Amino acid sequence: MKKISIITAPRFRCFDPANSHPSTSIPTNHSQSDGDATPDMARASGYQAKIVTGDAGYVLEDVPHLSDHIPDLPTYPNPLQYNPAYSVVKQYFVNDDDTVAQQIVVHKNSPKGTHFRRAGPRQKVYFESDNVQACIVTCGGLCPGINTVIREIVCGLHYMYGVNKVLGIEGGYRGFYSRNTIPLTPKTVNDIHKRGGTILGTSRGGHDTFKIVESIQDRGINQVYIIGGDGTQKGASVIFEEIKRRGLKVAVVGIPKTIDNDIPVIDKSFGFDTAVEEAQRAINAAHVEAESFENGVGVVKLMGRYSGFIAMYATLASRDVDCCLIPESPFYLEGPGGLFEYMEKTLKENGHMVIVIAEGAGQELLMSSMDQQDASGNKLLQDVGLWISQKIKDHFTKRKNIVINLKYIDPTYMIRAIPSIASDNVYCTLLAHSAIHGAMAGYTGFTVGPVNGRHAYIPFYRVIERQNKVVITDRMWARVLSATNQPSVLNPRDVIEAKKEEEPESKLLDGNNDVSN
């Protein structure tokens, strides 16, 4: 027996799509934001979570539905059942009660835990195809696969649901009110997946909720697809709340994009596989340079402002890396167990070494101001790659009187600007189609993504409440230490404290960093 109860979500409030009555929300902040959106904007959005509970500790964190704030909405048969391309499918539609478990490794007596609504086409839709006016916007930094997502949203709407009116919003959030829109058709987007970047352009900041929603309303847009990272998803959440407050029949869907893979709940973000693959070229070049010279040292800086997933996975994939430095794992240079001592030992044994460092690693050692931020609210970081390269040179030449040949490689923007590889292209297609099915079925205020290999609809508050980070007490990081033989600077007290901090989260997320366990 399932029952519905209201549970206040951490830091945010959202509401239950099973509720057909409008809920009270706090008016959103209409002022201009310096970034994509701020945590205060998200907290002020009045999100109220309604949780569906069931037997054996079953919990469903559902997503909003248009019928929550617009009662008596008509429904229509899903046109997919008449689509010849889907005639071979045994079951056109997913069951409305299908959910995806967030935690799949459980003990026999443990509760079923948190679930999310399964993504996929529904038997009834809430939009007539001829009346759909969709728009797509891309915000934040670049990432491989953005154009693929754009292409598949346009083609999916057209070929699956017969939607012919799709607008591209140019230049990020500010494009809603300060730039022109461009019509998107299957013909115009046919080959854009072969290119890096985004054909719509992008920007950071520019989020003005009132102007954005006014533009959506004035243009008659009723489906909004927002592609971006955690800051962008915060902005999408605020837009959804304002649309709900006005009682508009507009579905707002987020498609998570971040090359750093730092969005929680979902298995991984699109473009991550491409980034790791491209990082191998830089690591390989560093290894060739290092082993070709006496005391050769190759230093490769990879993306990873707060999360070191690219550096970690690239290190494991390469096996040519002798030291991997990430933001989550502290390190120091001098003294026993420090980087220099390890370098001296490695160079003495092997004659060369390769160091991979994430851009956010070791920032506390640079002794620089961390108060400056970009338009998205991200801290402006110093170039740790150049800094550590100079420190290494100074140490070996001035203190140890050892001549080293150091090569520094920074492939940062090359990695994020390339087209996506095959696996990411397939992944982007699934993301786009899941987003389309959800919007057509009347769901709104959600982000789409795979959870334990199954695509699901996730409430905005779950993907913007925190950032996904490498757990340095997890087995995946232990594999890195084992592969590189680098020292761990954590003392036993650090390990105990880290385990205490991660234990509640690990129980909920089931080792989100370790794909194999």
Side-chain angles (χ1 to χ4, degrees), residues 135 176 211-222 224 239 243 248 250:
C135 76
F176 277 102
K211 288 182 179 180
I212 291 171
V213 177
E214 282 289 302
S215 175
I216 290 171
Q217 192 169 0
D218 290 344
R219 297 177 188 274
I221 295 170
N222 51 21
V224 182
I239 292 170
I243 285 172
L248 303 178
V250 179

Coordinates of all heavy atoms in Angstrom, one line a residue, residues 135 176 211-222 224 239 243 248 250:
C135 N 11.5 25.2 -27.4 CA 12.8 26.0 -27.5 C 13.9 25.2 -26.8 O 13.7 24.4 -25.9 CB 12.6 27.4 -27.0 SG 12.7 27.5 -25.2
F176 N 17.2 34.8 -24.3 CA 15.7 34.8 -24.2 C 15.2 36.2 -24.4 O 14.1 36.4 -25.0 CB 15.2 34.3 -22.9 CG 15.1 32.8 -22.8 CD1 16.0 32.1 -22.1 CD2 14.0 32.1 -23.4 CE1 15.9 30.7 -22.0 CE2 13.9 30.8 -23.3 CZ 14.8 30.0 -22.6
K211 N 12.4 38.4 -17.0 CA 12.5 38.6 -18.5 C 12.5 37.3 -19.3 O 11.9 37.3 -20.4 CB 13.9 39.4 -18.8 CG 13.9 40.8 -18.4 CD 15.2 41.5 -18.7 CE 15.3 42.9 -18.4 NZ 16.6 43.5 -18.7
I212 N 13.1 36.3 -18.7 CA 13.1 35.0 -19.4 C 11.7 34.5 -19.5 O 11.2 34.0 -20.6 CB 14.0 34.0 -18.7 CG1 15.4 34.4 -18.8 CG2 13.8 32.6 -19.2 CD1 16.4 33.6 -17.9
V213 N 10.9 34.5 -18.4 CA 9.5 33.9 -18.5 C 8.6 34.8 -19.3 O 7.7 34.3 -20.0 CB 9.0 33.7 -17.1 CG1 7.5 33.2 -17.1 CG2 9.9 32.8 -16.3
E214 N 8.9 36.1 -19.3 CA 8.1 37.0 -20.2 C 8.3 36.7 -21.6 O 7.4 36.6 -22.4 CB 8.5 38.5 -19.9 CG 7.9 39.1 -18.7 CD 6.4 39.3 -18.8 OE1 6.0 40.1 -19.7 OE2 5.6 38.8 -18.0
S215 N 9.6 36.4 -22.0 CA 9.9 36.0 -23.4 C 9.2 34.7 -23.7 O 8.7 34.5 -24.8 CB 11.4 35.9 -23.5 OG 11.7 35.5 -24.8
I216 N 9.3 33.7 -22.8 CA 8.7 32.4 -23.1 C 7.2 32.6 -23.3 O 6.6 32.0 -24.3 CB 8.9 31.5 -21.9 CG1 10.4 31.1 -21.8 CG2 8.0 30.2 -22.0 CD1 10.8 30.3 -20.6
Q217 N 6.5 33.4 -22.5 CA 5.1 33.6 -22.6 C 4.7 34.4 -23.9 O 3.8 34.0 -24.6 CB 4.6 34.4 -21.4 CG 3.1 34.4 -21.2 CD 2.6 34.9 -19.9 OE1 3.5 35.3 -19.0 NE2 1.3 35.0 -19.7
D218 N 5.5 35.4 -24.2 CA 5.2 36.2 -25.4 C 5.4 35.5 -26.7 O 4.7 35.7 -27.6 CB 6.1 37.5 -25.4 CG 5.8 38.5 -24.3 OD1 4.7 38.4 -23.7 OD2 6.6 39.3 -24.0
R219 N 6.4 34.6 -26.7 CA 6.6 33.8 -27.9 C 5.7 32.6 -28.0 O 5.8 31.9 -29.0 CB 8.1 33.3 -27.9 CG 9.1 34.4 -28.0 CD 10.5 33.9 -27.9 NE 11.5 34.9 -27.8 CZ 12.1 35.6 -28.8 NH1 11.7 35.3 -30.0 NH2 13.0 36.5 -28.5
G220 N 4.9 32.3 -27.0 CA 4.0 31.1 -27.1 C 4.7 29.8 -26.9 O 4.2 28.8 -27.4
I221 N 5.9 29.8 -26.3 CA 6.7 28.6 -26.1 C 6.0 27.8 -25.0 O 5.6 28.3 -23.9 CB 8.1 28.9 -25.7 CG1 8.8 29.6 -26.9 CG2 8.9 27.7 -25.3 CD1 10.2 30.2 -26.5
N222 N 5.9 26.5 -25.2 CA 5.3 25.6 -24.2 C 6.1 24.4 -23.8 O 5.7 23.6 -23.0 CB 3.8 25.2 -24.6 CG 3.8 24.6 -26.0 OD1 4.8 24.1 -26.5 ND2 2.6 24.6 -26.6
V224 N 10.3 23.9 -22.8 CA 11.7 24.6 -22.7 C 12.7 23.5 -22.3 O 12.6 22.8 -21.3 CB 11.6 25.7 -21.6 CG1 13.0 26.4 -21.6 CG2 10.6 26.7 -21.9
I239 N 13.1 29.2 -13.1 CA 12.2 29.5 -14.2 C 10.9 28.6 -14.1 O 9.8 29.1 -14.3 CB 12.9 29.2 -15.6 CG1 14.0 30.2 -15.8 CG2 12.0 29.2 -16.7 CD1 15.0 29.8 -17.0
I243 N 7.0 30.0 -13.8 CA 6.0 29.5 -14.8 C 4.9 28.9 -14.1 O 3.7 29.1 -14.4 CB 6.7 28.5 -15.8 CG1 7.5 29.3 -16.8 CG2 5.6 27.7 -16.5 CD1 8.3 28.4 -17.7
L248 N 1.1 28.7 -16.2 CA 1.3 28.5 -17.6 C 1.5 27.0 -17.9 O 2.1 26.3 -17.2 CB 2.5 29.3 -18.1 CG 2.6 30.8 -17.8 CD1 3.9 31.4 -18.3 CD2 1.4 31.5 -18.5
V250 N 3.5 25.2 -19.6 CA 4.9 25.1 -20.1 C 5.7 24.1 -19.4 O 5.8 24.2 -18.1 CB 5.6 26.5 -20.0 CG1 7.0 26.4 -20.6 CG2 4.8 27.6 -20.7

